[in-house]
Structures are given as C-alpha cells and as structure tokens.
Amino acid sequence: MFYLGFLAISFFCGLVFSEEPIIFGNSTKDVVVFEGQNYTLRCYAGGNPPPMVSWVLHGNEPNAIPVAKSSVYENFLTISNATPYNCGTYNCMAQNGVGKVHQEIVFLVNSPPRSCIQRKIWTQALSFSIDLECSFQAFPLPESYYWSKNGIQLSNNSQYEIQNFSSGHNLFHTKLRLKNIEKNHFGDYVCHVMNQLGTAESSVTLTEVKDPVCPPACSPATTLPPNASAASIKLSIFYCIMFLPLTHVWHNLNSN
C-alpha cells in the first residue's frame, strides 16, 4: 500500500494454478445388476479449471451411448430397465484443457442365455470337415453346454470335436467340428447352453454341396477324398487356393 496525496492505493497479487483433472474414489466401480433394474453410473471429477465429464462406450464418440433407454446428465449416466445389451465397459472421461483422465466401469447384467444373431445354414462337401458355431449372451457365462442331433447328445470322438470360448464379459461361443463328413452327417444340429438363471438353445443346418467350402476344408493338412476324380480334385484345389494366402507349393497331380 502507498499514499498518493490523501488517496490510499493498495495492490493485491495472487497466483492461479492450473491442475490436471482427477477422478475421485467415490465414483462408481464395476457393477453387476439384475435384468430390468435401473442404475446410475456416477463419475466425480475435480481440477482447475473444473473439468467437463463425458461418457464413452466401446470407443464411440463422447456421449454417444448406443444402448436402449439410457440418459446422460453431466456426471451421471442412467441406464433404465437394464438388459444384456447394456453390458460393456463404460469410460468416464474428464478433461479441462490442462489434461484429461478416464476411468473404466464394467457394467454387467445378470440374465439367462439368449441366442445371438448367427449363421443358420452351413454347407460342405462329402469327406471334408466343417465347423458349426452358435453364440449366446449370458451372465454368468454358461457352465453347462452340449450339441445334439436328432435328440441324441454328441460327444468328442473320431467324428465330432466340441470347443467353447468366450469373448468379452458375457458372450459365449460353442463350436462343433465335423470330421470327414458322411451322408448321415447332413441335417439339423442343436446347441444347448445353461447358466444359473436359465437355458437356451439354437439350431443350425448342414447341407451338402458338390465343391468343398474353404476354410476349413482347404487347410494344408486336409487330405483329398480317395473317391474323387482327378478333374474334380483339380477343380477343388484351384477353387479353394484362390481364397488362401499365396504361400502354397504346387504339385503335378499326374506325376508319380
């Protein structure tokens, strides 16, 4: 402070610090809800200047939440009447021009299995192999599963091989490989799955075609059927090789 005549003038100097945003620990963590339940995800953030909060699901644009019956209001994302389609990893993103930060929230819905949109008709030639597949949404993931044909449960043997795997938190896939297809292998197959909340099944059909379908029929390890004519063998090889990487060695079928 100093005096100019009878006028007193004072100055106040202060420093304003910028702070990168942070997301506070009382924000929502991973959560599992029941189907039909309403739930609000909360994201509390701080920083200087105060950060803007947005929501991202599976890499979409901010605030673009492609799920039914959801609403976004600043720090909150409300999911109404939750279904398996709402499942996923939600990202709360906070940014203020100084920096940005995000926190992932895994949102899961307890539900019985549901068949996903999938291929229903499969084709293959005699004496070749094929993989039939079914996919389901379920949480918890199915703990019991099997394939059947004409009401008879199938198991791993010289003709069939069953494999299962999951992707994401609530997608389950089951695969039935048929080896060296015979006439009695064509027809309808049913895949069955069960979890703690219910059961589901889905059917697929295998039909016969003249030329083999690649893959898996044209993998390098596949042997050609002994009863195929030389002309059909050559046609099949050329037909399939076109769709594979050009790393194969050609042989003259007529040479000894």
Side-chain angles (χ1 to χ4, degrees), residues 33-39 68-69 78-84 86 109:
V33 303
F34 288 98
E35 190 167 10
Q37 184 178 344
N38 301 332
Y39 198 89
K69 299 181 180 178
T78 298
I79 299 173
S80 302
N81 192 25
T83 74
N86 298 111
V109 179

Side-chain angles (χ1 to χ4, degrees), residues 17-160:
F17 293 96
S18 297
E19 295 178 332
E20 292 188 355
I22 62 171
I23 295 177
F24 298 123
N26 57 343
S27 299
T28 303
K29 304 296 190 299
D30 295 350
V31 62
V32 179
V33 303
F34 288 98
E35 190 167 10
Q37 184 178 344
N38 301 332
Y39 198 89
T40 298
L41 306 180
R42 293 173 168 80
C43 183
Y44 299 107
N48 194 17
M52 299 270 304
V53 173
S54 58
W55 294 88
V56 179
L57 173 61
H58 297 316
N60 289 281
E61 292 300 318
N63 292 320
I65 307 296
V67 291
K69 299 181 180 178
S70 65
S71 60
V72 178
Y73 179 73
E74 296 180 351
N75 304 57
F76 308 121
L77 169 63
T78 298
I79 299 173
S80 302
N81 192 25
T83 74
Y85 298 103
N86 298 111
C87 292
T89 301
Y90 292 78
N91 274 286
C92 160
M93 301 183 64
Q95 50 189 341
N96 64 356
V98 181
K100 62 181 179 179
V101 66
H102 74 94
Q103 176 171 301
E104 294 184 346
I105 303 171
V106 177
F107 183 83
L108 296 173
V109 179
N110 279 317
S111 62
R114 286 182 173 84
S115 177
C116 300
I117 297 174
Q118 58 194 19
R119 182 176 174 183
K120 290 291 187 180
I121 305 296
W122 300 76
T123 58
Q124 189 55 285
L126 280 170
S127 301
F128 285 89
S129 301
I130 193 171
D131 295 331
L132 308 180
E133 297 182 23
C134 290
S135 298
F136 297 86
Q137 279 188 323
F139 189 82
L141 290 172
E143 65 271 6
S144 180
Y145 39 80
Y146 66 93
W147 286 77
S148 67
K149 186 177 190 295
N150 299 328
I152 300 175
Q153 182 173 338
L154 307 177
S155 57
N156 289 327
N157 54 34
S158 60
Q159 293 183 317
Y160 302 108

